[in-house]
Structures are given as structure tokens and as C-alpha cells.
Amino acid sequence: MTRFRLTVRRVPIPAASAAVFALMTGLAQAQTKVDTSAGPMQISPIATGLDEPWAVGFLPDGAVIVTERAGRLLLLREGESAEIDGVPEVYAQGQGGLLDVMIPRDFEQSREVWLTYAAAVDGGAATAVGKGRLSDDGTTLEGFDMLFVGEGHSGGRHFGSRMVEAEDGSVFITTGDRGTGPDGMQAQDPETVEGSVIHLTRDGATATTIEGWRRGVYSIGHRNAQGAALGTDGALWLVEHGAQGGDELNRVEAGKNYGWPVISYGVNYNGNSIGEGQAQDGMEQPLHYWDPSIAPSGMIIYSGALVPDWAGDIFTGSLNTSFLSRLDPDTPAETGFAEERIEAAETARVRDVREAPDGSIWFVSVIEGAIYRLAPAEAG
């Protein structure tokens, strides 16, 4: 295991060196205040010097697990960072690599850590899901077991790859269409896994079976969902990338078809139309769409713990601009819901958004190589 001592300042990272981290634990560290609809908010750096961070997970003891796309899994605790051994080999090309992390609610008993990643398989690469047991000392992911892997495709696009634990402990996993649309119809085929949501039990068995569909496929017609969350109603919600325009927010139900690439609010990158318009019988409409695209990534449905005004609101990052998007489901708008955009230097290319145990909102900036905390300014 490689161990790093965290400092309290930003450190330039030479290209060939190991990452150096800065854990910001005191109010004296650099902070930014932003005005929002709920009053002034403070953005505080949690960790810097990360190498293309992808996702964050919280452990019950206050430690944080971070994935880096190139393949490192990191444990941040009490001013130190350590690389966790036992991570599977990943296909770190294009958009592929080590992707999402999920810490189940029963971690204190199971010590399970779930990962999604791009894996090299026959035919190219595929979205894969697996889990291991975090050793008692936090140094190793023991007995890592691949539970699911899709079919191989060439290229490195559209792995999807967010996970959500359902109320019953089962797990939803998003898969991208692997770049097969709009010309290919794999995302419309319920016997394939491209462009679908997969539903597994905690031991990796099928959690949903729909007649005529491949076992485990929960929904179809998705392009590339890179944000997912459990709603207060227990339903799965996700945000997915459109092409040029047509990013979507969907509330996902078993057996439903969400349209890609037959219907879309966007157009192809060459300007040509996609599919058969914006609506079709038997295909679900998004609850919100973005045109032009923001490339949404990461997602929470906020509890309101620290900011009651935002209870039930939806937060997602943007990969092609520089803001956090807040959608208010109680306020209708032409494209679905009213939107507030929270923007600062720290919100450059936001990959992941999480609600921390204390009710603050954490987000991951790929450009900054950092994790930040957003909370009311008066609360520090």
C-alpha cells in the first residue's frame, strides 16, 4: 500500500509523479462564497491534487473513498490518504476506467465496497460491476468479485456506470449505449444490456425479471446515464447525456422504454435529426431536458438537512460548462423544472455530486482535480 501525507495547501503535480493531496480541515483555508436562491453558500476544498477523480463515497467513520479514472482507489482519513489495494484491472481508455463507487447502508456489518469500471473483454471493453470487502485496516479490497459485465464493444465511449442502492438493498446500475446510437438500435433491444438499467441483488443475482427481456434488465432506451439517485418515493431517478441537446432527467420504472435513439430533444453532432422526433407511443417523456446540452454527471435528490429551502430538489454537475444545476420539481418551466445554476471557479467540469452525512453538498471537479463542500456560509 502506498500512503500519502496530506498537506493543507495546493501543490503542483508533475506529470510523472504520484498525486499529492491537500486535505482542508480548517476555516483558514481558501474558500469561496457564492450567492444562491437559499442565501450565501460557502465552497470549501476537501481534497486537491487528484488525478481525474470520478466518484466519492462516505464511510460511517467519517473516511472518504475516491475513485480515479486511471484505476486508483483512495481512502482519505484524518489528514492522510492511502491507496487501497485489490482493485480490479480497468480499461482506462477514452471514457473508460475506474468509475463509480457505492458504500451500502450496511457497511458497518458487511464492509462491502461496490465499484463500476470499464473492463477489457472479448470484442473490446464493457461496463462491469463488482464488490469486495474493505479490510479492517482499510488497506485492501479483499476478495473482489465481478458480478456483472456487458458485451464488448470497440472504442471508449458511453459506459454509463452509476450505481444506486434501492430501499430493499438491491442495486441499480446504469449502462451507456457504448456509442452505438443513433445509427444502431442496441439501446432499444431488451435482450442486450447497452443503454439500459441493470438491477441486481446484493449477491449479484437477477433482481428484476421481465418477460421477453434479458434477465436483470430493468429499463431500456437510455443513451449514457452518468447520474442516478433514489427519490424520496423510493424510485430510481437518473440524468443522461443527449447528443447535441437533449440531455434528460428521467424517473425510471421497471419495463419502461425511455426512447433513445428513436426519440430525442437533441440532434446529431453533424446537425442531422435523430430518430422519429420527440415523442412516440410506448416511449417515456423526460421530466426535464436540457437544450443546449450541459452533459449532466453525478446526481442527488437533496434531503434539506442543511438547506431546508432545497429539500427535494435535484442537483447535478455539468461536464461541458462550469456550474452545479439545481432543479426545483415544485416549479414548472418550459423544459420541465425551473433551474438555478450555481457557478464558481471550483465548479469546472463537475463529475460527481453527493450529499454528505452532515447534509452538506460535496462535488468533484475534474478540471481542478479536487473535491469541494458546499454549505451555508453561516454554518462554516
Side-chain angles (χ1 to χ4, degrees):
M1 179 187 73
T2 303
R3 188 174 293 273
F4 303 89
R5 183 67 187 177
L6 303 184
T7 65
V8 292
R9 58 191 176 87
R10 295 176 183 267
V11 181
I13 309 301
S17 75
V20 179
F21 297 94
L23 182 66
M24 308 303 180
T25 57
L27 297 180
Q29 304 306 325
Q31 298 174 349
T32 298
K33 288 187 178 180
V34 293
D35 292 327
T36 75
S37 59
M41 297 287 158
Q42 183 170 279
I43 298 174
S44 307
I46 297 295
T48 64
L50 297 163
D51 180 12
E52 200 168 350
W54 216 92
V56 174
F58 300 99
L59 298 183
D61 65 359
V64 177
I65 288 184
V66 182
T67 61
E68 292 181 334
R69 192 182 64 81
R72 292 202 312 169
L73 186 67
L74 304 171
L75 182 71
L76 309 184
R77 176 189 282 134
E78 296 180 350
E80 292 187 345
S81 171
E83 185 173 349
I84 300 172
D85 295 328
V87 178
E89 184 175 351
V90 304
Y91 176 90
Q93 299 184 33
Q95 297 167 0
L98 183 59
L99 305 174
D100 205 12
V101 59
M102 188 195 73
I103 310 300
R105 288 186 293 271
D106 69 354
F107 176 83
E108 288 185 302
Q109 293 75 44
S110 69
R111 297 196 63 81
E112 284 184 3
V113 173
W114 285 58
L115 300 174
T116 64
Y117 55 103
V121 297
D122 290 344
T127 300
V129 181
K131 66 176 181 177
R133 180 188 182 278
L134 186 65
S135 60
D136 293 341
D137 61 5
T139 63
T140 306
L141 201 55
E142 300 171 335
F144 188 86
D145 184 23
M146 179 191 286
L147 302 175
F148 165 86
V149 64
E151 288 87 10
H153 288 268
S154 61
R157 291 195 295 157
H158 298 184
F159 291 93
S161 220
R162 290 294 180 186
M163 291 179 287
V164 174
E165 184 181 12
E167 289 181 330
D168 64 1
S170 61
V171 181
F172 295 111
I173 304 107
T174 71
T175 70
D177 72 350
R178 296 294 283 108
T180 58
D183 297 324
M185 296 294 287
Q186 284 87 341
Q188 284 293 308
D189 185 351
E191 294 185 353
T192 68
V193 301
E194 294 89 349
S196 66
V197 171
I198 306 300
H199 193 197
L200 302 179
T201 66
R202 284 286 295 280
D203 62 4
T206 296
T208 291
T209 301
I210 299 171
E211 185 176 357
W213 289 29
R214 180 168 172 163
R215 291 174 60 84
V217 173
Y218 186 82
S219 62
I220 62 172
H222 305 287
R223 185 173 184 264
N224 191 28
Q226 290 199 1
L230 205 65
T232 55
D233 57 358
L236 175 68
W237 293 59
L238 56 80
V239 288
E240 56 187 281
H241 293 192
Q244 188 167 288
D247 300 339
E248 295 184 357
L249 167 71
N250 287 300
R251 181 183 182 277
V252 180
E253 298 180 39
K256 297 293 182 68
N257 181 347
Y258 291 83
W260 177 260
V262 177
I263 61 173
S264 174
Y265 281 86
V267 297
N268 208 354
Y269 296 107
N270 60 11
N272 292 340
S273 60
I274 294 172
E276 301 176 17
Q278 297 176 345
Q280 187 78 259
D281 288 345
M283 296 183 180
E284 304 304 308
Q285 284 289 300
L287 298 180
H288 182 91
Y289 69 91
W290 289 269
D291 187 14
S293 293
I294 69 166
S297 188
M299 180 182 178
I300 61 169
I301 298 177
Y302 184 61
S303 71
L306 277 185
V307 189
D309 287 350
W310 288 347
D313 291 354
I314 297 153
F315 286 79
T316 185
S318 170
L319 289 172
N320 67 7
T321 45
S322 179
F323 59 85
L324 282 172
S325 169
R326 180 186 69 85
L327 298 177
D328 180 1
D330 295 326
T331 306
E334 183 178 353
T335 57
F337 302 142
E339 182 182 34
E340 176 183 15
R341 296 184 171 185
I342 301 169
E343 186 168 4
E346 292 85 351
T347 59
R349 192 165 165 80
V350 172
R351 172 66 73 181
D352 197 15
V353 184
R354 304 281 172 130
E355 181 173 347
D358 67 355
S360 61
I361 296 172
W362 288 29
F363 62 92
V364 173
S365 169
V366 177
I367 296 295
E368 295 295 311
I371 303 167
Y372 296 100
R373 176 182 186 266
L374 178 75
E378 61 271 21

